[in-house]
Amino acid sequence: MDVIATYALRLGDDSLILGQRLSEWCGHAPALEVDLSLANIALDQVGQATHFLNLAGELEGKGRDGDALAFRRDVMDFTNCLLVEQPNGDFAQTIARQFLFSHYQALLFEQMAAVKDTRFAAIAAKAAKEVAYHATLASDWVIRLGDGTDESKARMVAGLAWVWRFADELFAMDAADAAAIEAGAGVDKSALRGAWDSRVDAVLAEATLARPAPHRATTGGRIGRHSEHLGHLLSEMQFLQRAYPGATW
Amino acid sequence: MYTTDMSGNKKAEVVAEDPEELAAFEARVANDEFIEPKDWMPEAYRKTLVRQMSQHAHSEIVGMLPEGNWISRAPNLRRKAILLAKVQDEGGHGLYLYAAAETLGTSRDEMTEALLSGKAKYSTIFNYPTLTWADIGAIGWLVDGAAIMNQVPLQRTSYGPYARAMVRICKEESFHQRQGYEIMMHLAVGTPEQKRMAQDALNRWWWPSLMMFGPPDEKSPNTAQSMRWRIKRDTNDELRQKFVDITVPQAEAIGLTVPDDKLKWNEERGAYDFGEVDWEEFAAVVRGEGPVAKERLQARQKAWDDGAWVREAARVHAEKRANAKVAAE
Ligand SMILES: [Fe+2]
Ligand SMILES: [Fe+2]
Ligand SMILES: [Fe+2]
């Protein structure tokens, strides 16, 4: 796959895997309103995934579409960040994951909406509105849970502690990023870190939560080195396509 | 049906009401006027409505489970998005219906407790398992299809908030029905395995779908009262017949066979004759003995229990905010 296709693939994989995770909540959330909001975010993510994966397939030029990419690759070919494949855990862990990721996605798509390559810019412009809302929703819950009861605070602290080691990977740059920027499709993610830190810190302060202690970054998702969780997610998600090769649905 | 009376053969108890108020109320209803939350209404009307509306709301919520079971395994991105949106719609229906039922003075928490304790019922149909992807097609086609049949007339039901909730809900249910049928259509022209999957789903969902319309008319003692109050507008058997007449040609059109030896077009009646529903099975499912009834209630109970700390945190946080605001003023 060429580097620009890989760049689209990474964006699509992030959205796909997070959408898959969030949809596990459907019908089981702590309150009906929460169920609807989580399903909303999941739907937005699946929509973004569809756009980016179709684009990746197009750029690759080997006749694979978004579905082929989503349902016919194995773990080592998935390029999502490790954060999004983390299990839902309790509601606090789900919110912690969403909080870190949505603020990153919001900053990313704000910038990407202005890149030269109109294919990337168009998807990002639409997605920017969606993820800005996700970031607000997640932040509101971080504040509610952090500044709620003793139990909710303890759970929020534990949720953040679980996901914090995956934050650095969001901003890591490599050759695909450099090529995408060069081609007018990509965004300098390392430059988003300052704004992300201040947005996240402001919410944590309002939530009366301390920023988790620094942790050596756990990385590898972008080059197919994942956690053990991803294989299980894929085996479920890809079941029908694997069990009935060649069938259309 | 989501709204069929499953209270068994008990006659609604009669409470003495002021005869003049009662007469005025009956006249308004007979005149097809809407009754609004602040209007006077007989106690039995209020009770019947709370039972019917909360049962409908619970059905939407419990109904999220069998279909939710396939979101993570949907076969492609488009189907995944459609199913996720559908299940989310059902949650939205539950929300409107709880809100409409709350206008009668029963809180959502009370209704939820009644569901979890087994006191309140939900549609029998959701006590059957979803085993293959074709079940998602069958549910949309048959279950949403049957729901529409009952709910379209309820858009003109006498209680205003219920009627208005129904208008919004019906639009979405007919989408669901078409999407479900479209899944079945696709499977029916697919590989032999897919066709087998579709036929198997129809075999399993057909009779439970007919049960959704409730017991036969002669065993549905509250129907007359509910029809007089415009809470119900057609009898169970009328709706069941209508469903069969509409659905059988749809099955034939895609080459699927309805699993009923007695099914036969009756030229004279201009309707299908069909076999007898297994009413013993229906009664058992109403009693809570359906194949996956325990799993359904367990899932709702778990969501409720696991979510308790979240709801409590939200409440405490809102209180802190309110207090801080008062202190600042
Ligand atoms: Fe519904
Ligand atoms: Fe419904
Ligand atoms: Fe529906």
Side-chain angles (χ1 to χ4, degrees):
Chain A
M1 222 180 221
D2 77 38
V3 279
I4 308 297
T6 299
Y7 193 73
L9 189 70
R10 289 173 177 185
L11 294 164
D13 284 349
D14 278 358
S15 294
L16 174 65
I17 301 303
L18 184 59
Q20 178 75 6
R21 274 288 182 237
L22 287 169
S23 68
E24 292 169 16
W25 274 107
C26 195
H28 307 277
L32 194 43
E33 288 82 352
V34 179
D35 214 305
L36 300 182
S37 324
L38 293 177
N40 235 342
I41 302 178
L43 260 174
D44 288 342
Q45 294 292 335
V46 172
Q48 292 161 17
T50 307
H51 290 304
F52 280 122
L53 293 178
N54 280 332
L55 177 57
E58 219 175 275
L59 292 167
E60 185 194 42
K62 289 185 185 158
R64 291 200 285 184
D65 62 2
D67 286 329
L69 289 168
F71 295 94
R72 296 295 175 87
R73 280 178 300 152
D74 201 348
V75 169
M76 61 207 174
D77 293 322
F78 267 82
T79 60
N80 58 280
C81 60
L82 299 178
L83 176 62
V84 294
E85 72 196 46
Q86 293 308 303
N88 287 338
D90 65 3
F91 182 65
Q93 188 173 315
T94 291
I95 288 300
R97 182 183 66 199
Q98 199 65 45
F99 174 58
L100 304 195
F101 188 73
S102 292
H103 279 290
Y104 153 76
Q105 251 194 337
L107 289 161
L108 179 76
F109 290 150
E110 275 166 32
Q111 301 251 316
M112 196 178 291
V115 298
K116 255 198 351 252
D117 188 322
T118 52
R119 295 166 300 187
F120 284 86
I123 301 171
K126 179 174 179 279
K129 293 185 201 112
E130 297 167 351
V131 300
Y133 167 73
H134 306 169
T136 303
L137 193 118
S139 299
D140 288 349
W141 273 111
V142 169
I143 293 164
R144 255 182 229 122
L145 298 180
D147 188 21
T149 62
D150 290 346
E151 181 180 4
S152 69
K153 177 171 221 147
R155 285 176 181 269
M156 200 60 239
V157 168
L160 285 165
W162 184 271
V163 297
W164 197 252
R165 65 204 140 121
F166 305 113
D168 289 342
E169 188 183 35
L170 300 174
F171 305 98
M173 301 277 288
D174 66 8
D177 293 285
I181 293 169
E182 179 73 28
V187 169
D188 180 359
K189 290 188 288 185
S190 62
L192 306 176
R193 184 66 193 248
W196 185 86
D197 278 329
S198 49
R199 288 185 190 188
V200 163
D201 287 343
V203 174
L204 292 178
E206 199 179 338
T208 70
L209 292 167
R211 172 182 258 260
H215 191 294
R216 181 171 184 270
T218 310
T219 62
R222 301 295 181 211
I223 54 165
R225 296 192 182 165
H226 290 277
S227 66
E228 291 173 348
H229 306 296
L230 185 63
H232 295 284
L233 180 150
L234 295 183
S235 67
E236 187 171 335
M237 183 175 82
Q238 299 177 336
F239 157 69
L240 279 171
Q241 295 265 358
R242 301 285 188 192
Y244 300 94
T248 62
W249 304 89
Chain B
M1 189 67 35
Y2 293 4
T3 53
T4 201
D5 192 340
M6 298 198 298
S7 56
N9 288 337
K10 283 170 281 171
K11 269 273 185 198
E13 44 184 311
V14 183
V15 182
E17 301 277 10
D18 179 85
E20 263 174 53
E21 277 181 316
L22 188 60
F25 170 87
E26 301 261 5
R28 285 185 65 196
V29 170
N31 204 23
D32 273 337
E33 282 176 48
F34 283 128
I35 305 300
E36 296 299 335
K38 292 214 160 60
D39 297 344
W40 185 90
M41 62 186 83
E43 222 22 61
Y45 175 84
R46 183 187 300 273
K47 267 196 177 157
T48 305
L49 268 175
V50 169
R51 191 176 65 224
Q52 180 171 322
M53 290 165 75
S54 67
Q55 182 180 300
H56 191 165
H58 298 327
S59 300
E60 302 284 355
I61 300 307
V62 177
M64 294 169 80
L65 298 170
E67 291 184 282
N69 183 38
W70 277 89
I71 295 172
S72 65
R73 290 176 289 171
N76 58 41
L77 294 169
R78 177 173 161 261
R79 296 286 185 205
K80 189 186 289 293
I82 291 174
L83 181 57
L84 191 47
K86 189 212 183 216
V87 179
Q88 188 194 30
D89 283 349
E90 307 301 2
H93 299 170
L95 202 57
Y96 313 146
L97 286 163
Y98 282 128
E102 281 188 311
T103 63
L104 292 162
T106 308
S107 74
R108 202 208 300 182
D109 282 359
E110 286 173 275
M111 291 185 260
T112 303
E113 303 282 3
L115 169 70
L116 297 177
S117 72
K119 214 179 113 208
K121 302 289 181 197
Y122 57 90
S123 178
T124 52
I125 194 76
F126 299 120
N127 293 305
Y128 293 86
T130 48
L131 303 181
T132 71
W133 172 251
D135 291 28
I136 300 308
I139 290 183
W141 172 32
L142 303 174
V143 175
D144 288 82
I148 292 163
M149 225 141 264
N150 184 40
Q151 290 170 195
V152 163
L154 288 177
Q155 295 178 100
R156 287 174 44 247
T157 195
S158 60
Y159 189 56
Y162 193 22
R164 290 187 287 274
M166 267 324 143
V167 171
R168 202 165 161 187
I169 290 173
C170 278
K171 277 194 202 120
E172 294 179 348
E173 302 294 16
S174 47
F175 260 122
H176 299 166
Q177 194 271 348
R178 270 176 278 161
Q179 287 161 349
Y181 188 59
E182 205 252 328
I183 289 176
M184 293 303 263
M185 247 163 72
H186 210 88
L187 294 174
V189 297
T191 64
E193 288 104 322
Q194 285 176 306
K195 187 159 185 187
R196 174 171 169 243
M197 203 184 268
Q199 182 63 54
D200 175 62
L202 175 57
N203 293 348
R204 283 181 290 108
W205 290 94
W206 176 256
W207 291 106
S209 297
L210 294 191
M211 292 176 199
M212 285 176 71
F213 297 93
D217 291 348
E218 74 267 16
K219 290 199 175 130
S220 187
N222 295 332
T223 290
Q225 171 74 297
S226 285
M227 286 181 74
R228 196 155 51 92
W229 278 342
R230 305 283 200 267
I231 291 172
K232 197 175 167 73
R233 310 204 62 134
D234 304 88
T235 73
N236 297 350
D237 287 332
E238 283 164 6
L239 289 166
R240 194 167 9 249
Q241 180 73 54
K242 198 170 157 200
F243 176 79
V244 170
D245 291 343
I246 287 179
T247 311
V248 169
Q250 292 173 344
E252 282 169 357
I254 56 175
L256 297 179
T257 309
V258 171
D260 179 355
D261 307 337
K262 302 215 170 68
L263 187 73
K264 203 168 165 264
W265 178 252
N266 183 326
E267 198 63 58
E268 231 167 275
R269 289 202 305 127
Y272 282 94
D273 293 334
F274 56 96
E276 182 77 2
V277 171
D278 182 348
W279 293 116
E280 204 190 308
E281 176 176 325
F282 174 72
V285 180
V286 170
R287 283 198 306 274
E289 296 171 23
V292 295
K294 288 208 188 305
E295 284 88 339
R296 298 293 182 245
L297 273 187
Q298 184 184 50
R300 287 317 309 156
Q301 184 74 53
K302 185 172 188 310
W304 184 246
D305 293 346
D306 290 355
W309 68 271
V310 178
R311 298 189 301 273
E312 176 65 3
R315 192 187 63 75
V316 168
H317 178 77
E319 226 172 71
K320 284 186 191 177
R321 282 286 159 106
N323 290 342
K325 210 176 151 207
V326 169
E329 272 160 11

